[in-house]
Amino acid sequence: MTAQAPTTDTTNLSVECLLGREPGYEDVHGECRQTNDVPLPYGRGILLARRCCCTCHRQAKEPS
């Protein structure tokens, strides 16, 4: 039996947040604008683009 490293789900991260996790690209993380879901017009709940699920966006929405 081999131990597996824990994996993080990056399927809902924006390109900017995903790249911003890499060394040397931390400044790109601040360029993420995917903070809300974008619904498909007349799509009855179908999303054109999901919001980024990065933890920095969740913290930014909390009132201070």
Side-chain angles (χ1 to χ4, degrees), residues 3-41:
Q4 293 180 344
T7 59
T8 56
D9 184 20
T10 58
T11 55
N12 289 334
L13 290 181
S14 68
V15 174
E16 294 85 0
C17 287
L18 191 59
L19 183 61
R21 292 180 168 200
E22 298 297 319
Y25 291 98
E26 292 85 4
D27 58 331
V28 177
H29 187 88
E31 298 296 319
C32 180
R33 301 289 180 255
Q34 226 172 293
T35 56
N36 293 317
D37 288 335
V38 179
L40 181 66

Side-chain angles (χ1 to χ4, degrees), residues 8 14 19 27 30 41 50 53-55 59 63-64:
T8 56
S14 68
L19 183 61
D27 58 331
R50 290 190 176 275
C53 66
C54 185
T55 56
Q59 293 170 354
S64 30

Side-chain angles (χ1 to χ4, degrees), residues 43-56:
R44 297 184 182 188
I46 297 173
L47 295 177
L48 187 59
R50 290 190 176 275
R51 71 172 179 83
C52 181
C53 66
C54 185
T55 56
C56 71

